[in-house]
Structures are given as structure tokens and as C-alpha cells.
């Protein structure tokens, strides 16, 4: 019965009024243009005229969420109808983001499969560690560490496939998807593209920092802003929710203009239940499911500051909350 309702919800979402599908292509093209402007046009054209142009990097950094949302669409094959073109746009966006598309795709699809089972960022086992020991790693990841890990993964491009796979075996753990990500990257069909994208990322960003010259600190701050936004947002939709429930996530309230700006990424619960829906179909599915928010976006993001949660302290009310929906 539950599967029937889920399929029906997805079908109603598909039949709901929606914008022309070409809007995603236009948005992706605009995002690529903005990304190139950040790295090359600002330092080579605008800053030589007036350093005040550096302030344009602030709104670009604040647009991190919709930029990631477009990559996210490409990861799910929903950005463009043509799969090859979809992946090309996804790779271009990921290069400007600073991490290879293959890595982001592997990590995110595994997140969908193992969310709240193997992947549960804030949970620690008191039988193996303490809150004080769990806290540094947790807060480092929360305040930019996630993005830093995605960038540091570029170093894997220097290693042979056997070494990448061996590292994956060493980091394999029942409460992490890292080993699985490494194993996928080491695949014969994935690693060559990963290496090519990694090389382009390094060359492009090195050229950008050289172009900024004495103003390189501006680009560094913009990337730090991106790191903070990405890392804080990543687990806000799952923090302190029921374990062993991969299909569940929070729908977080945002003012409608901000929801549109974020490409409906705040409707994350709908997305986890219907990962095949495009960003502009999520609002229709949300309404079809009853239109209930779990919390406000900013409240949920701030709640993560409470820190790691002991495995035996997870509250059953979260599971009850989801079961009632």
C-alpha cells in the first residue's frame, strides 16, 4: 500500500504544472558563466579597473546552494534529458565547484543508499569513543571540512587504481561510506575521467589564483564561504533523525523566494522519497504528500551546533514522527 501511494505521489508531481524543462539548461549555462567569471573575469577584467569589484564575490559565494543544486540534478541524471550532455554539464559545473563529478556522484548516490545506516555523520558509539573525542572531527566537518575533503580527494588522481582500492579497503568501516566511494573511483570506467577532471580543476584554479595575484585572498575567502555553506547544509536535513531510514529526510521551511533560489533543495524529504523528480517537481510532490514541514531551515542548521549524538541516546520520537507521515 505504501509503495502505491509513493508511486501515485510521484505521478501527480509529474502531472503538476511546471516550467519548461529547458530552464535547467539555461540555469546550468548561467552557473558555468558565473563560475568562469569568478575565476577569470573578475581578476583579469574587473579588479584592474577597481578593487571594489571584489565585492561581487560575496553574492557568488552566497549562490553556492543553487550551484550545488544544479550539480545534484546532474548527479541524478535529471539536469538534461540527454544523458551524455547531462554528464558533460555536470562535469563542467563540478570542475568550477572544485571537485570531480565522479567523486560527487559516487558519494551522493551512496548517501541515498546508506543514509542513516552507514552514513550518520553526527552519531558516535560511546562503546568506542567519548563526546570529547568525537567533537573535534564533527565540528571540523561541519565548519568547512566536508568541502575540504572533496577538494583533497584530487590527490587520488596521482595514484594507481590498485592503491586507490587499497586505501578504500583500509578505510572501510560499517559506519562510513568512504571505502565504497574509493572502490567506485578505482573502477576502470571512472578513474580516467576522474583524473582528467582533477587535472583541469588544478590547472584552472591555479591559473585563477595567479590571475588574482595580490588579491588572491579574495578568491580564498570566497572559496572558504563556499566550504562553510556546503558543509553546514550537508547534514542539516538528517541531523538527529531516525536511524536505519534511508528514504527519510527533513523538509525544511524557507520563504518561497529563497526556496526558488535554492531550487527547492529544502524539500529534501520529498527528494529522498522520490529521487527521480526534478527540482521543479518537488513542490508539487510536497503538496501531494500533505505539505508538512519538519522544521525551519535556519533552525535545523543551527541545531547541528549541539554536536555529536551518542548512539544509545538517539530519540525514538524521530522515528515515530516519520512513521506518522
Amino acid at each position: 500500500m505504501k509503495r502505491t501511494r509513493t508511486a501515485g505521489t510521484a505521478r501527480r508531481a509529474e502531472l503538476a504544472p511546471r516550467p519548461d524543462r529547458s530552464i535547467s539548461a539555461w540555469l546550468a549555462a548561467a552557473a558555468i558563466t558565473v563560475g568562469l567569471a569568478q575565476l577569470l573575469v573578475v581578476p583579469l577584467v574587473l579588479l584592474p579597473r577597481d578593487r571594489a569589484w571584489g565585492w561581487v564575490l560575496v553574492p557568488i559565494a552566497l549562490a553556492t546552494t543553487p550551484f550545488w543544486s544544479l550539480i545534484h540534478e546532474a548527479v541524478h541524471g535529471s539536469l538534461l534529458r540527454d544523458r551524455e550532455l547531462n554528464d558533460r554539464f555536470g562535469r563542467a559545473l563540478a570542475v568550477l565547484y572544485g571537485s570531480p563529478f565522479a567523486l560527487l556522484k559516487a558519494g551522493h548516490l551512496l548517501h541515498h543508499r546508506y543514509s542513516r545506516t552507514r552514513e550518520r555523520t553526527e552519531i558516535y558509539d560511546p562503546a568506542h569513543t567519548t563526546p570529547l573525542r568525537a567533537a573535534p572531527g564533527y565540528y571540523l566537518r561541519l565548519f568547512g571540512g566536508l568541502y575540504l575533503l572533496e577538494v583533497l580527494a584530487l590527490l587520488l588522481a596521482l595514484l594507481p587504481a590498485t592503491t586507490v582500492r587499497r586505501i578504500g579497503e583500509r578505510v572501510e568501516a560499517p559506519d562510513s561510506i568512504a571505502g565504497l566511494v574509493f572502490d567506485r573511483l578505482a573502477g576502470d570506467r571512472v578513474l580516467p575521467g576522474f583524473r582528467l577532471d582533477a587535472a583541469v580543476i588544478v590547472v584552472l584554479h591555479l591559473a585563477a589564483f595567479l590571475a588574482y595575484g595580490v588579491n588572491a585572498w579574495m578568491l580564498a575567502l570566497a572559496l572558504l564561504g563556499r566550504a562553510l555553506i556546503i558543509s553546514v547544509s550537508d547534514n542539516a536535513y538528517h541531523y538527529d533523525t531516525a536511524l536505519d531510514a534511508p528514504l527519510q529526510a527533513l523538509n525544511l521551511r524557507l520563504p518561497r523566494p529563497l526556496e526558488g533560489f535554492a531550487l527547492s533543495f529544502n524539500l529534501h524529504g520529498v527528494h529522498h522519497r522520490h529521487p527521480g523528480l526534478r527540482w521543479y517537481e518537488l513542490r508539487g510532490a510536497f503538496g501531494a504528500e500533505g505539505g508538512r514541514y519538519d522544521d525551519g531551515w535556519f533552525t535545523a542548521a543551527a541545531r547541528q551546533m549541539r554536536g555529536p549524538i551518542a548512539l544509545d541516546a538517539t530519540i525514538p520520537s524521530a522515528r515515530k514522527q516519520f512513521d506518522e507521515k
Side-chain angles (χ1 to χ4, degrees), residues 24-34 70 89 93:
S24 292
W26 284 107
L27 288 174
I32 291 172
T33 301
V34 171
L70 290 169
F89 267 81
L93 289 164

Side-chain angles (χ1 to χ4, degrees), residues 19-261:
D20 190 316
R21 290 183 177 182
S22 64
I23 188 174
S24 292
W26 284 107
L27 288 174
I32 291 172
T33 301
V34 171
L36 288 173
Q38 178 188 40
L39 296 179
L40 299 175
V41 176
V42 172
L44 295 177
V45 179
L46 300 181
L47 289 181
R49 297 181 179 181
D50 191 334
R51 292 185 70 190
W53 277 107
W55 286 105
V56 77
L57 296 178
V58 174
I60 291 178
L62 292 176
T64 290
T65 297
F67 194 93
W68 163 251
S69 294
L70 290 169
I71 297 175
H72 176 256
E73 289 288 297
V75 163
H76 284 282
S78 302
L79 184 63
L80 300 172
R81 283 183 174 181
D82 185 278
R83 188 54 180 267
E84 184 176 353
L85 194 58
N86 176 89
D87 289 353
R88 287 182 179 179
F89 267 81
R91 290 177 69 178
L93 289 164
V95 163
L96 295 169
Y97 173 83
S99 187
F101 183 65
L103 171 71
L104 301 177
K105 182 175 181 177
H108 186 72
L109 294 183
L110 286 169
H111 158 73
H112 271 271
R113 183 173 181 180
Y114 294 107
S115 176
R116 310 312 288 167
T117 56
R118 292 183 64 140
E119 187 189 46
R120 41 194 187 183
T121 303
E122 79 282 11
I123 304 298
Y124 72 93
D125 188 346
H128 297 94
T129 188
T130 66
L132 289 179
R133 290 180 179 177
Y138 170 81
Y139 284 112
L140 178 61
R141 178 187 172 96
L142 181 64
F143 293 113
L146 173 63
Y147 180 75
L148 179 61
L149 288 173
E150 292 172 341
V151 173
L152 288 177
L154 293 171
L155 296 174
L156 296 175
L158 302 174
L159 305 176
T162 53
T163 303
V164 175
R165 190 170 285 110
R166 191 177 301 119
I167 294 174
E169 293 172 354
R170 290 189 176 184
V171 300
E172 172 66 15
D175 59 350
S176 171
I177 63 171
L180 299 176
V181 171
F182 277 71
D183 185 64
R184 291 199 178 185
L185 290 180
D188 294 337
R189 298 178 60 184
V190 176
L191 192 56
F194 175 85
R195 286 172 172 162
L196 175 60
D197 290 358
V200 175
I201 290 170
V202 171
V203 171
L204 182 59
H205 283 77
L206 179 59
F209 275 103
L210 291 175
Y212 272 88
V214 296
N215 299 312
W217 60 271
M218 295 182 181
L219 179 58
L221 286 179
L223 294 179
L224 285 174
R226 173 183 294 171
L228 182 62
I229 292 172
I230 284 292
S231 300
V232 168
S233 300
D234 179 67
N235 201 50
Y237 302 98
H238 302 281
Y239 183 87
D240 199 16
T241 59
L243 301 182
D244 304 318
L247 296 182
Q248 302 294 351
L250 302 178
N251 293 313
L252 301 179
R253 184 183 296 102
L254 273 177
R256 289 299 285 272
L258 285 182
E259 177 180 305
F261 178 72

Side-chain angles (χ1 to χ4, degrees), residues 299-313:
T299 301
R303 188 169 60 243
Q304 299 176 98
M305 308 307 168
R306 297 175 182 175
I309 301 174
L311 179 61
D312 56 1

